[in-house]
Amino acid sequence: RKEVEQDPGPFNVPEGATVAFNCTYSNSASQSFFWYRQDCRKEPKLLMSVYSSGNEDGRFTAQLNRASQYISLLIRDSKLSDSATYLCVVNMEGQNFVFGPGTRLSVLP
Amino acid sequence: DTAVSQTPKYLVTQMGNDKSIKCEQNLGHDTMYWYKQDSKKFLKIMFSYNNKELIINETVPNRFSPKSPDKAHLNLHINSLELGDSAVYFCASSQVWGDDGYTFGSGTRLTVV
């Protein structure tokens, strides 16, 4: 089983839709979790950290489920500019980040 | 000001050549990294440097060697380039090793012909 798994998509959704991505991780000792966004031919950029209590930033909500070893990202009221690849990132203390393969989102007009 | 800058942005070279990619960060971060993103878009760690000390060296060929003259710079030197080395190479930095988010450079697209 791979360390971090994501559905590669693509997820094609209309503007204004709500879309959710899940990411599963294999190592129960993982401690830090993040969502990164990568636009085509650009570098990954930190979208948000994922805390045990969950966190929300505007239209974006991230949740962590340690028991089932997955994190989720919910995007409400999708915009055209949300089209990108969303990378799940998992980290254990003293280890490098492990990036998932990414989920591609296309928001359609 | 660019936080993490890499040069060159594009690099096209022939098999067997030796090339270097430079990276500089002005964030005052303690740790720098090199990642490789292949054609399947997987981001794989290559090296990490913390205060000029190599702390993890993943199983990359020894043709790849990181060089850090100071904590703001981490250059990547590649000897005897092969076709399979073609990829996008990203430099990144973080304040504390693995404890918070990374800031990435804009990437170097390497094509070996």
Side-chain angles (χ1 to χ4, degrees):
Chain A
R1 182 181 173 187
K2 291 181 180 170
E3 289 185 84
V4 181
E5 294 194 75
Q6 296 181 252
D7 181 343
F11 284 58
N12 297 317
V13 302
E15 270 188 289
T18 295
V19 62
F21 312 133
N22 278 345
C23 163
T24 58
Y25 60 94
S26 60
N27 193 324
S28 59
S30 300
Q31 294 184 322
S32 304
F33 308 89
F34 306 89
W35 283 103
Y36 276 72
R37 171 193 169 129
Q38 187 172 23
D39 292 289
C40 186
R41 303 178 81 86
K42 298 285 189 181
E43 72 273 23
K45 292 185 178 178
L46 179 64
L47 180 65
M48 59 198 308
S49 303
V50 187
Y51 305 121
S52 296
S53 55
N55 51 309
E56 185 173 319
D57 183 3
R59 299 181 293 108
F60 298 83
T61 301
Q63 298 279 353
L64 167 63
N65 186 318
R66 286 192 184 272
S68 302
Q69 293 181 209
Y70 76 85
I71 67 173
S72 63
L73 178 67
L74 180 78
I75 306 175
R76 291 180 297 277
D77 188 22
S78 299
K79 312 290 185 191
L80 295 177
S81 58
D82 294 334
S83 297
T85 297
Y86 290 84
L87 304 167
C88 169
V89 182
V90 174
N91 182 45
M92 289 188 298
E93 185 178 357
Q95 303 291 326
N96 284 311
F97 283 11
V98 178
F99 284 79
T103 296
R104 193 153 59 93
L105 171 66
S106 291
V107 180
L108 308 173
Chain B
D1 281 344
T2 304
V4 181
S5 59
Q6 296 178 228
T7 54
K9 193 171 178 64
Y10 299 96
L11 183 54
V12 181
T13 188
Q14 290 186 325
M15 283 175 56
N17 284 351
D18 302 338
K19 291 293 178 184
S20 291
I21 307 171
K22 295 185 177 181
C23 178
E24 175 181 4
Q25 55 96 3
N26 62 7
L27 297 166
H29 284 172
D30 282 340
T31 310
M32 296 183 71
Y33 314 83
W34 276 105
Y35 276 82
K36 177 181 179 180
Q37 190 169 41
D38 59 24
S39 57
K40 294 183 178 178
K41 308 300 182 187
F42 283 93
L43 267 168
K44 298 287 188 184
I45 182 70
M46 299 180 72
F47 302 104
S48 315
Y49 251 79
N50 187 355
N51 286 329
K52 297 198 294 181
E53 181 182 354
L54 180 67
I55 48 179
I56 286 184
N57 182 348
E58 299 290 326
T59 54
V60 298
N62 58 14
R63 298 181 294 104
F64 292 79
S65 55
K67 298 189 192 305
S68 180
D70 54 62
K71 81 170 193 176
H73 296 83
L74 182 63
N75 303 324
L76 182 64
H77 190 74
I78 316 169
N79 289 327
S80 304
L81 277 155
E82 300 177 357
L83 293 177
D85 297 333
S86 296
V88 181
Y89 293 83
F90 287 102
C91 177
S93 71
S94 68
Q95 179 60 46
V96 178
W97 182 34
D99 202 29
D100 62 358
Y102 291 178
T103 300
F104 281 85
S106 58
T108 296
R109 186 171 296 274
L110 171 66
T111 303
V112 182
V113 296

